[in-house]
Amino acid sequence: NAGVMQNPRHLVRRRGQEARLRCSPMKGHSHVYWYRQLPEEGLKFMVYLQKENIIDESGMPKERFSAEFPKEGPSILRIQQVVRGDSAAYFCASSPGHITDTQYFGPGTRLTVL
Amino acid sequence: AQTVTQSQPEMSVQEAETVTLSCTYDTSESDYYLFWYKQPPSRQMILVIRQEAYKQQNATENRFSVNFQKAAKSFSLKISDSQLGDAAMYFCAYRSLKTSYDKVIFGPGTSLSVIP
């Protein structure tokens, strides 16, 4: 059973460009979480999605950031018009959805904004 | 709101020795999970150990064990017989069971070095 897959592992963008980060949950998992890790900090929750639904986006910046988890395909975290402060590691986690389930993390995508 | 605090930004331990990493948290809830995650230089987040708050018995996983003090809201991690591969960032984390899901709240981390 493959783990949580994220791609790309490293992404370099110039200021003003768009960044798209992909996350494929573990097989059988229908719940996806995105977290951001700024340099020298712990992970901070961004958004929680189920298939075709955003359940909790309380950690998402109000502008430029969006997330989706379509019926088919991976979950996408999209950052428009990136700025240097968006440079961070972005982690995706998935779980089957039961309240007692552990979240399993992907390897992360390291975004660098030049 | 729940918070997780790790007061030791950096720790070091001699190979084969024992080290304890500290963690405190703040919550008004009674049902929750606590976790320790390890993040090696590869940056992969690896679950080390999980503790259910309703269980009085401390969780153990091989060389890793916790000291869970619910009243004091303390959750320390003990690593016995430390190995070079234990060198990593360690994050203490909290997850509420109040709703049908909840986000994980992470502490700022402790960087552990293992001295050969």
Side-chain angles (χ1 to χ4, degrees):
Chain A
N1 190 8
V4 179
M5 310 285 283
Q6 287 188 251
N7 67 81
R9 293 294 307 277
H10 301 276
L11 183 61
V12 179
R13 285 288 178 267
R14 295 190 180 280
R15 281 179 297 172
Q17 292 184 320
E18 179 179 287
R20 281 183 179 241
L21 289 63
R22 295 175 186 78
C23 169
S24 296
M26 289 179 69
K27 187 176 181 180
H29 288 194
S30 59
H31 295 224
V32 166
Y33 302 76
W34 285 94
Y35 294 82
R36 178 167 65 174
Q37 185 179 29
L38 295 172
E40 310 299 325
E41 293 186 12
L43 280 69
K44 297 286 196 301
F45 169 79
M46 299 181 74
V47 62
Y48 161 56
L49 309 102
Q50 295 179 19
K51 284 285 188 182
E52 300 185 280
N53 284 304
I54 297 174
I55 308 301
D56 180 355
E57 56 182 348
S58 59
M60 288 275 272
K62 294 289 185 274
E63 298 177 350
R64 301 188 297 107
F65 285 73
S66 62
E68 63 178 13
F69 189 16
K71 187 176 180 180
E72 300 291 336
S75 175
I76 306 287
L77 179 66
R78 182 183 178 204
I79 311 172
Q80 295 178 288
Q81 299 175 336
V82 296
V83 300
R84 289 223 173 102
D86 296 333
S87 295
Y90 292 83
F91 289 89
C92 168
S94 75
S95 77
H98 190 271
I99 188 173
T100 59
D101 289 329
T102 296
Q103 294 177 22
Y104 293 89
F105 283 81
T109 293
R110 176 166 279 289
L111 172 65
T112 301
V113 180
L114 302 177
Chain B
Q2 296 90 7
T3 58
V4 178
T5 302
Q6 294 177 252
S7 59
Q8 307 153 315
E10 297 178 353
M11 292 280 285
S12 62
V13 61
Q14 204 78 30
E15 194 176 3
E17 296 295 310
T18 296
V19 65
T20 298
L21 308 184
S22 301
C23 172
T24 58
Y25 58 96
D26 188 25
T27 183
S28 58
E29 298 172 351
S30 58
D31 294 326
Y32 50 86
Y33 285 169
L34 295 166
F35 307 88
W36 278 97
Y37 281 90
K38 171 185 177 181
Q39 188 179 44
S42 67
R43 303 194 71 84
Q44 174 77 49
M45 293 292 288
I46 301 166
L47 178 64
V48 175
I49 201 162
R50 182 177 94 167
Q51 174 79 44
E52 292 86 345
Y54 66 87
K55 289 186 178 178
Q56 293 187 342
Q57 186 174 7
N58 289 322
T60 62
E61 284 290 341
N62 301 315
R63 297 182 296 107
F64 298 86
S65 62
V66 297
N67 184 3
F68 174 47
Q69 302 289 329
K70 190 171 184 179
K73 296 179 183 174
S74 170
F75 183 61
S76 61
L77 175 70
K78 185 171 85 172
I79 306 174
S80 304
D81 185 28
S82 297
Q83 300 175 1
L84 295 177
D86 295 334
M89 282 290 289
Y90 285 83
F91 293 98
C92 179
Y94 168 100
R95 179 189 164 197
S96 168
L97 292 178
K98 187 176 180 181
T99 60
S100 60
Y101 78 94
D102 215 333
K103 54 188 175 280
V104 179
I105 299 169
F106 288 86
T110 296
S111 178
L112 178 66
S113 302
V114 179
I115 304 165

